[in-house]
Amino acid sequence: MSTDVEVTGLHKSFGDLEVLKGIDLKVEPGEVVCIIGPSGSGKSTLLRCVNLLEEPSSGTVRVGGTELTDPDVDIDAARRRIGMVFQSFNLFPHLTALGNVTIAQRKVLKRDKDEAERIGRDNLKRVGLADKVDSYPAQLSGGQQQRVAIARALAMGPEVMLFDEPTSALDPELVGDVLAVMRKLAVDGMTMLVVTHEMSFAREVADRVVFMDGGVVVEQGPPSQVIANPSQERTRSFLARVL
Ligand code: ADP
Ligand code: MG
């Protein structure tokens, strides 16, 4: 199941600092949108506003027709429809891979142990870790830990997945396995919003690339346009630094 996301007129300030200055962004069901841009441009804040880890100062966020910014909406229920993967994996060190992938299913979704474990194993298999169910985080590489974090998010049955620089903390040789899992997810039709510096991933997988700078969307379009032939000077100078 996948759904759409629509951000309209989104502003976010921290005190006097206006970080998001009116973002409009629509992600279609099953679409993969990669967000690129310099550090401090508001990419993480945008993702965090999409699942209401941050409260927008103004503007609306809609997921599958439900307006998350509506004060009457059940935020916890709405948030459950959105999976998020961060740069840091944040696994529980005292739980195995399977334990990490089942705990929220049991506590939040109230699934019984057998069902949570079945779904947990399915999702660990989906990210290529069928043989690591009983391993603790310390016994796993960074790339494997990040794949556990992806499985943990998927086990909750999200309709949309948000990724915030999921490979930035990884040794270069471990990046490929994580990107491969994300590529598969994209092919399976998941709606994905991905903040990344991996231009090759954006070029190959993104339906659309959004370049942000200074809290605004400077330009967006297919990768063949934004990455290969950007129209804005700010995009060109950013790409010259990262490519
Ligand atoms: P990016 O992910 O593009 O690097 P961020 O969204 O993390 O950018 O940050 C954009 C700006 O917002 C930065 O100047 C950052 O310091 C500021 N910022 C982010 N979160 C907070 C916060 N919780 N409180 C104050 N300032 C913040
Ligand atoms: Mg960030």
mmCIF file with all atom_site columns, all heavy atoms in Angstrom, residues 179-198:
data_model
loop_
_atom_site.group_PDB
_atom_site.id
_atom_site.type_symbol
_atom_site.label_atom_id
_atom_site.label_alt_id
_atom_site.label_comp_id
_atom_site.label_asym_id
_atom_site.label_entity_id
_atom_site.label_seq_id
_atom_site.pdbx_PDB_ins_code
_atom_site.Cartn_x
_atom_site.Cartn_y
_atom_site.Cartn_z
_atom_site.occupancy
_atom_site.B_iso_or_equiv
_atom_site.pdbx_formal_charge
_atom_site.auth_seq_id
_atom_site.auth_comp_id
_atom_site.auth_asym_id
_atom_site.auth_atom_id
_atom_site.pdbx_PDB_model_num
ATOM 1   N N   . LEU A 1 179 ? 21.564 1.091  -0.032 1.00 0.00 ? 179 LEU A N   1
ATOM 2   C CA  . LEU A 1 179 ? 20.920 1.682  -1.208 1.00 0.00 ? 179 LEU A CA  1
ATOM 3   C C   . LEU A 1 179 ? 20.176 0.620  -2.013 1.00 0.00 ? 179 LEU A C   1
ATOM 4   O O   . LEU A 1 179 ? 19.105 0.890  -2.570 1.00 0.00 ? 179 LEU A O   1
ATOM 5   C CB  . LEU A 1 179 ? 21.946 2.396  -2.087 1.00 0.00 ? 179 LEU A CB  1
ATOM 6   C CG  . LEU A 1 179 ? 22.606 3.643  -1.468 1.00 0.00 ? 179 LEU A CG  1
ATOM 7   C CD1 . LEU A 1 179 ? 23.603 4.249  -2.448 1.00 0.00 ? 179 LEU A CD1 1
ATOM 8   C CD2 . LEU A 1 179 ? 21.572 4.681  -1.050 1.00 0.00 ? 179 LEU A CD2 1
ATOM 9   N N   . ALA A 1 180 ? 20.717 -0.599 -2.045 1.00 0.00 ? 180 ALA A N   1
ATOM 10  C CA  . ALA A 1 180 ? 20.051 -1.678 -2.790 1.00 0.00 ? 180 ALA A CA  1
ATOM 11  C C   . ALA A 1 180 ? 18.689 -1.997 -2.171 1.00 0.00 ? 180 ALA A C   1
ATOM 12  O O   . ALA A 1 180 ? 17.710 -2.237 -2.888 1.00 0.00 ? 180 ALA A O   1
ATOM 13  C CB  . ALA A 1 180 ? 20.940 -2.925 -2.811 1.00 0.00 ? 180 ALA A CB  1
ATOM 14  N N   . VAL A 1 181 ? 18.636 -1.992 -0.840 1.00 0.00 ? 181 VAL A N   1
ATOM 15  C CA  . VAL A 1 181 ? 17.367 -2.240 -0.146 1.00 0.00 ? 181 VAL A CA  1
ATOM 16  C C   . VAL A 1 181 ? 16.363 -1.128 -0.483 1.00 0.00 ? 181 VAL A C   1
ATOM 17  O O   . VAL A 1 181 ? 15.182 -1.377 -0.753 1.00 0.00 ? 181 VAL A O   1
ATOM 18  C CB  . VAL A 1 181 ? 17.604 -2.329 1.381  1.00 0.00 ? 181 VAL A CB  1
ATOM 19  C CG1 . VAL A 1 181 ? 16.293 -2.220 2.148  1.00 0.00 ? 181 VAL A CG1 1
ATOM 20  C CG2 . VAL A 1 181 ? 18.318 -3.628 1.724  1.00 0.00 ? 181 VAL A CG2 1
ATOM 21  N N   . MET A 1 182 ? 16.860 0.096  -0.502 1.00 0.00 ? 182 MET A N   1
ATOM 22  C CA  . MET A 1 182 ? 15.973 1.235  -0.805 1.00 0.00 ? 182 MET A CA  1
ATOM 23  C C   . MET A 1 182 ? 15.497 1.187  -2.254 1.00 0.00 ? 182 MET A C   1
ATOM 24  O O   . MET A 1 182 ? 14.348 1.518  -2.556 1.00 0.00 ? 182 MET A O   1
ATOM 25  C CB  . MET A 1 182 ? 16.703 2.550  -0.526 1.00 0.00 ? 182 MET A CB  1
ATOM 26  C CG  . MET A 1 182 ? 16.984 2.751  0.961  1.00 0.00 ? 182 MET A CG  1
ATOM 27  S SD  . MET A 1 182 ? 18.124 4.108  1.265  1.00 0.00 ? 182 MET A SD  1
ATOM 28  C CE  . MET A 1 182 ? 17.178 5.487  0.608  1.00 0.00 ? 182 MET A CE  1
ATOM 29  N N   . ARG A 1 183 ? 16.387 0.763  -3.128 1.00 0.00 ? 183 ARG A N   1
ATOM 30  C CA  . ARG A 1 183 ? 16.033 0.649  -4.548 1.00 0.00 ? 183 ARG A CA  1
ATOM 31  C C   . ARG A 1 183 ? 14.909 -0.374 -4.725 1.00 0.00 ? 183 ARG A C   1
ATOM 32  O O   . ARG A 1 183 ? 13.952 -0.166 -5.476 1.00 0.00 ? 183 ARG A O   1
ATOM 33  C CB  . ARG A 1 183 ? 17.289 0.223  -5.325 1.00 0.00 ? 183 ARG A CB  1
ATOM 34  C CG  . ARG A 1 183 ? 17.221 0.443  -6.806 1.00 0.00 ? 183 ARG A CG  1
ATOM 35  C CD  . ARG A 1 183 ? 18.561 0.146  -7.477 1.00 0.00 ? 183 ARG A CD  1
ATOM 36  N NE  . ARG A 1 183 ? 19.541 1.187  -7.291 1.00 0.00 ? 183 ARG A NE  1
ATOM 37  C CZ  . ARG A 1 183 ? 20.757 1.031  -6.751 1.00 0.00 ? 183 ARG A CZ  1
ATOM 38  N NH1 . ARG A 1 183 ? 21.147 -0.159 -6.343 1.00 0.00 ? 183 ARG A NH1 1
ATOM 39  N NH2 . ARG A 1 183 ? 21.572 2.043  -6.612 1.00 0.00 ? 183 ARG A NH2 1
ATOM 40  N N   . LYS A 1 184 ? 15.019 -1.489 -3.998 1.00 0.00 ? 184 LYS A N   1
ATOM 41  C CA  . LYS A 1 184 ? 14.004 -2.540 -4.068 1.00 0.00 ? 184 LYS A CA  1
ATOM 42  C C   . LYS A 1 184 ? 12.658 -2.033 -3.562 1.00 0.00 ? 184 LYS A C   1
ATOM 43  O O   . LYS A 1 184 ? 11.607 -2.302 -4.141 1.00 0.00 ? 184 LYS A O   1
ATOM 44  C CB  . LYS A 1 184 ? 14.490 -3.743 -3.237 1.00 0.00 ? 184 LYS A CB  1
ATOM 45  C CG  . LYS A 1 184 ? 13.705 -5.024 -3.450 1.00 0.00 ? 184 LYS A CG  1
ATOM 46  C CD  . LYS A 1 184 ? 14.560 -6.251 -3.178 1.00 0.00 ? 184 LYS A CD  1
ATOM 47  C CE  . LYS A 1 184 ? 15.016 -6.325 -1.733 1.00 0.00 ? 184 LYS A CE  1
ATOM 48  N NZ  . LYS A 1 184 ? 14.430 -7.386 -0.927 1.00 0.00 ? 184 LYS A NZ  1
ATOM 49  N N   . LEU A 1 185 ? 12.733 -1.286 -2.474 1.00 0.00 ? 185 LEU A N   1
ATOM 50  C CA  . LEU A 1 185 ? 11.520 -0.695 -1.900 1.00 0.00 ? 185 LEU A CA  1
ATOM 51  C C   . LEU A 1 185 ? 10.839 0.234  -2.908 1.00 0.00 ? 185 LEU A C   1
ATOM 52  O O   . LEU A 1 185 ? 9.615  0.259  -3.046 1.00 0.00 ? 185 LEU A O   1
ATOM 53  C CB  . LEU A 1 185 ? 11.933 0.096  -0.661 1.00 0.00 ? 185 LEU A CB  1
ATOM 54  C CG  . LEU A 1 185 ? 10.996 0.287  0.494  1.00 0.00 ? 185 LEU A CG  1
ATOM 55  C CD1 . LEU A 1 185 ? 10.385 -1.025 0.927  1.00 0.00 ? 185 LEU A CD1 1
ATOM 56  C CD2 . LEU A 1 185 ? 11.772 0.938  1.652  1.00 0.00 ? 185 LEU A CD2 1
ATOM 57  N N   . ALA A 1 186 ? 11.654 0.980  -3.614 1.00 0.00 ? 186 ALA A N   1
ATOM 58  C CA  . ALA A 1 186 ? 11.137 1.901  -4.636 1.00 0.00 ? 186 ALA A CA  1
ATOM 59  C C   . ALA A 1 186 ? 10.453 1.118  -5.755 1.00 0.00 ? 186 ALA A C   1
ATOM 60  O O   . ALA A 1 186 ? 9.347  1.457  -6.189 1.00 0.00 ? 186 ALA A O   1
ATOM 61  C CB  . ALA A 1 186 ? 12.270 2.764  -5.188 1.00 0.00 ? 186 ALA A CB  1
ATOM 62  N N   . VAL A 1 187 ? 11.101 0.050  -6.193 1.00 0.00 ? 187 VAL A N   1
ATOM 63  C CA  . VAL A 1 187 ? 10.539 -0.784 -7.258 1.00 0.00 ? 187 VAL A CA  1
ATOM 64  C C   . VAL A 1 187 ? 9.228  -1.416 -6.797 1.00 0.00 ? 187 VAL A C   1
ATOM 65  O O   . VAL A 1 187 ? 8.290  -1.571 -7.582 1.00 0.00 ? 187 VAL A O   1
ATOM 66  C CB  . VAL A 1 187 ? 11.561 -1.881 -7.684 1.00 0.00 ? 187 VAL A CB  1
ATOM 67  C CG1 . VAL A 1 187 ? 10.913 -2.910 -8.597 1.00 0.00 ? 187 VAL A CG1 1
ATOM 68  C CG2 . VAL A 1 187 ? 12.765 -1.234 -8.354 1.00 0.00 ? 187 VAL A CG2 1
ATOM 69  N N   . ASP A 1 188 ? 9.145  -1.757 -5.509 1.00 0.00 ? 188 ASP A N   1
ATOM 70  C CA  . ASP A 1 188 ? 7.923  -2.348 -4.956 1.00 0.00 ? 188 ASP A CA  1
ATOM 71  C C   . ASP A 1 188 ? 6.775  -1.344 -4.835 1.00 0.00 ? 188 ASP A C   1
ATOM 72  O O   . ASP A 1 188 ? 5.677  -1.707 -4.414 1.00 0.00 ? 188 ASP A O   1
ATOM 73  C CB  . ASP A 1 188 ? 8.193  -2.948 -3.567 1.00 0.00 ? 188 ASP A CB  1
ATOM 74  C CG  . ASP A 1 188 ? 9.026  -4.224 -3.637 1.00 0.00 ? 188 ASP A CG  1
ATOM 75  O OD1 . ASP A 1 188 ? 9.192  -4.761 -4.747 1.00 0.00 ? 188 ASP A OD1 1
ATOM 76  O OD2 . ASP A 1 188 ? 9.523  -4.668 -2.583 1.00 0.00 ? 188 ASP A OD2 1
ATOM 77  N N   . GLY A 1 189 ? 7.073  -0.064 -5.114 1.00 0.00 ? 189 GLY A N   1
ATOM 78  C CA  . GLY A 1 189 ? 5.986  0.909  -5.168 1.00 0.00 ? 189 GLY A CA  1
ATOM 79  C C   . GLY A 1 189 ? 5.790  1.744  -3.918 1.00 0.00 ? 189 GLY A C   1
ATOM 80  O O   . GLY A 1 189 ? 4.765  2.425  -3.771 1.00 0.00 ? 189 GLY A O   1
ATOM 81  N N   . MET A 1 190 ? 6.761  1.721  -3.016 1.00 0.00 ? 190 MET A N   1
ATOM 82  C CA  . MET A 1 190 ? 6.645  2.547  -1.806 1.00 0.00 ? 190 MET A CA  1
ATOM 83  C C   . MET A 1 190 ? 6.791  4.022  -2.159 1.00 0.00 ? 190 MET A C   1
ATOM 84  O O   . MET A 1 190 ? 7.635  4.387  -2.979 1.00 0.00 ? 190 MET A O   1
ATOM 85  C CB  . MET A 1 190 ? 7.738  2.134  -0.809 1.00 0.00 ? 190 MET A CB  1
ATOM 86  C CG  . MET A 1 190 ? 7.752  2.918  0.486  1.00 0.00 ? 190 MET A CG  1
ATOM 87  S SD  . MET A 1 190 ? 6.280  2.681  1.505  1.00 0.00 ? 190 MET A SD  1
ATOM 88  C CE  . MET A 1 190 ? 6.619  1.089  2.244  1.00 0.00 ? 190 MET A CE  1
ATOM 89  N N   . THR A 1 191 ? 5.969  4.848  -1.549 1.00 0.00 ? 191 THR A N   1
ATOM 90  C CA  . THR A 1 191 ? 6.147  6.300  -1.643 1.00 0.00 ? 191 THR A CA  1
ATOM 91  C C   . THR A 1 191 ? 7.337  6.667  -0.758 1.00 0.00 ? 191 THR A C   1
ATOM 92  O O   . THR A 1 191 ? 7.362  6.317  0.422  1.00 0.00 ? 191 THR A O   1
ATOM 93  C CB  . THR A 1 191 ? 4.892  7.032  -1.119 1.00 0.00 ? 191 THR A CB  1
ATOM 94  O OG1 . THR A 1 191 ? 3.739  6.531  -1.795 1.00 0.00 ? 191 THR A OG1 1
ATOM 95  C CG2 . THR A 1 191 ? 5.011  8.537  -1.334 1.00 0.00 ? 191 THR A CG2 1
ATOM 96  N N   . MET A 1 192 ? 8.332  7.338  -1.337 1.00 0.00 ? 192 MET A N   1
ATOM 97  C CA  . MET A 1 192 ? 9.562  7.603  -0.581 1.00 0.00 ? 192 MET A CA  1
ATOM 98  C C   . MET A 1 192 ? 10.026 9.042  -0.743 1.00 0.00 ? 192 MET A C   1
ATOM 99  O O   . MET A 1 192 ? 10.021 9.583  -1.845 1.00 0.00 ? 192 MET A O   1
ATOM 100 C CB  . MET A 1 192 ? 10.687 6.659  -1.054 1.00 0.00 ? 192 MET A CB  1
ATOM 101 C CG  . MET A 1 192 ? 10.423 5.201  -0.707 1.00 0.00 ? 192 MET A CG  1
ATOM 102 S SD  . MET A 1 192 ? 11.467 3.981  -1.566 1.00 0.00 ? 192 MET A SD  1
ATOM 103 C CE  . MET A 1 192 ? 13.100 4.462  -1.074 1.00 0.00 ? 192 MET A CE  1
ATOM 104 N N   . LEU A 1 193 ? 10.428 9.605  0.384  1.00 0.00 ? 193 LEU A N   1
ATOM 105 C CA  . LEU A 1 193 ? 11.011 10.947 0.415  1.00 0.00 ? 193 LEU A CA  1
ATOM 106 C C   . LEU A 1 193 ? 12.401 10.758 1.026  1.00 0.00 ? 193 LEU A C   1
ATOM 107 O O   . LEU A 1 193 ? 12.514 10.356 2.188  1.00 0.00 ? 193 LEU A O   1
ATOM 108 C CB  . LEU A 1 193 ? 10.115 11.833 1.278  1.00 0.00 ? 193 LEU A CB  1
ATOM 109 C CG  . LEU A 1 193 ? 10.090 13.328 1.142  1.00 0.00 ? 193 LEU A CG  1
ATOM 110 C CD1 . LEU A 1 193 ? 10.064 13.760 -0.305 1.00 0.00 ? 193 LEU A CD1 1
ATOM 111 C CD2 . LEU A 1 193 ? 8.861  13.874 1.863  1.00 0.00 ? 193 LEU A CD2 1
ATOM 112 N N   . VAL A 1 194 ? 13.431 11.001 0.241  1.00 0.00 ? 194 VAL A N   1
ATOM 113 C CA  . VAL A 1 194 ? 14.793 10.618 0.629  1.00 0.00 ? 194 VAL A CA  1
ATOM 114 C C   . VAL A 1 194 ? 15.720 11.824 0.584  1.00 0.00 ? 194 VAL A C   1
ATOM 115 O O   . VAL A 1 194 ? 15.960 12.388 -0.489 1.00 0.00 ? 194 VAL A O   1
ATOM 116 C CB  . VAL A 1 194 ? 15.346 9.536  -0.343 1.00 0.00 ? 194 VAL A CB  1
ATOM 117 C CG1 . VAL A 1 194 ? 16.731 9.076  0.106  1.00 0.00 ? 194 VAL A CG1 1
ATOM 118 C CG2 . VAL A 1 194 ? 14.390 8.352  -0.462 1.00 0.00 ? 194 VAL A CG2 1
ATOM 119 N N   . VAL A 1 195 ? 16.233 12.223 1.743  1.00 0.00 ? 195 VAL A N   1
ATOM 120 C CA  . VAL A 1 195 ? 17.301 13.223 1.767  1.00 0.00 ? 195 VAL A CA  1
ATOM 121 C C   . VAL A 1 195 ? 18.614 12.482 1.597  1.00 0.00 ? 195 VAL A C   1
ATOM 122 O O   . VAL A 1 195 ? 18.902 11.552 2.364  1.00 0.00 ? 195 VAL A O   1
ATOM 123 C CB  . VAL A 1 195 ? 17.319 13.997 3.107  1.00 0.00 ? 195 VAL A CB  1
ATOM 124 C CG1 . VAL A 1 195 ? 18.526 14.934 3.160  1.00 0.00 ? 195 VAL A CG1 1
ATOM 125 C CG2 . VAL A 1 195 ? 16.028 14.778 3.301  1.00 0.00 ? 195 VAL A CG2 1
ATOM 126 N N   . THR A 1 196 ? 19.370 12.832 0.586  1.00 0.00 ? 196 THR A N   1
ATOM 127 C CA  . THR A 1 196 ? 20.590 12.073 0.326  1.00 0.00 ? 196 THR A CA  1
ATOM 128 C C   . THR A 1 196 ? 21.654 12.907 -0.371 1.00 0.00 ? 196 THR A C   1
ATOM 129 O O   . THR A 1 196 ? 21.349 13.891 -1.049 1.00 0.00 ? 196 THR A O   1
ATOM 130 C CB  . THR A 1 196 ? 20.287 10.820 -0.531 1.00 0.00 ? 196 THR A CB  1
ATOM 131 O OG1 . THR A 1 196 ? 21.477 10.021 -0.628 1.00 0.00 ? 196 THR A OG1 1
ATOM 132 C CG2 . THR A 1 196 ? 19.813 11.182 -1.926 1.00 0.00 ? 196 THR A CG2 1
ATOM 133 N N   . HIS A 1 197 ? 22.904 12.516 -0.131 1.00 0.00 ? 197 HIS A N   1
ATOM 134 C CA  . HIS A 1 197 ? 24.019 13.087 -0.885 1.00 0.00 ? 197 HIS A CA  1
ATOM 135 C C   . HIS A 1 197 ? 24.497 12.105 -1.960 1.00 0.00 ? 197 HIS A C   1
ATOM 136 O O   . HIS A 1 197 ? 25.483 12.370 -2.636 1.00 0.00 ? 197 HIS A O   1
ATOM 137 C CB  . HIS A 1 197 ? 25.174 13.434 0.049  1.00 0.00 ? 197 HIS A CB  1
ATOM 138 C CG  . HIS A 1 197 ? 24.827 14.518 1.021  1.00 0.00 ? 197 HIS A CG  1
ATOM 139 N ND1 . HIS A 1 197 ? 24.435 15.772 0.610  1.00 0.00 ? 197 HIS A ND1 1
ATOM 140 C CD2 . HIS A 1 197 ? 24.773 14.529 2.372  1.00 0.00 ? 197 HIS A CD2 1
ATOM 141 C CE1 . HIS A 1 197 ? 24.177 16.517 1.681  1.00 0.00 ? 197 HIS A CE1 1
ATOM 142 N NE2 . HIS A 1 197 ? 24.359 15.777 2.757  1.00 0.00 ? 197 HIS A NE2 1
ATOM 143 N N   . GLU A 1 198 ? 23.805 10.962 -2.054 1.00 0.00 ? 198 GLU A N   1
ATOM 144 C CA  . GLU A 1 198 ? 24.199 9.948  -3.030 1.00 0.00 ? 198 GLU A CA  1
ATOM 145 C C   . GLU A 1 198 ? 23.586 10.303 -4.383 1.00 0.00 ? 198 GLU A C   1
ATOM 146 O O   . GLU A 1 198 ? 22.467 9.904  -4.705 1.00 0.00 ? 198 GLU A O   1
ATOM 147 C CB  . GLU A 1 198 ? 23.706 8.558  -2.587 1.00 0.00 ? 198 GLU A CB  1
ATOM 148 C CG  . GLU A 1 198 ? 24.304 8.055  -1.305 1.00 0.00 ? 198 GLU A CG  1
ATOM 149 C CD  . GLU A 1 198 ? 25.774 7.683  -1.465 1.00 0.00 ? 198 GLU A CD  1
ATOM 150 O OE1 . GLU A 1 198 ? 26.215 7.423  -2.620 1.00 0.00 ? 198 GLU A OE1 1
ATOM 151 O OE2 . GLU A 1 198 ? 26.476 7.672  -0.438 1.00 0.00 ? 198 GLU A OE2 1
#
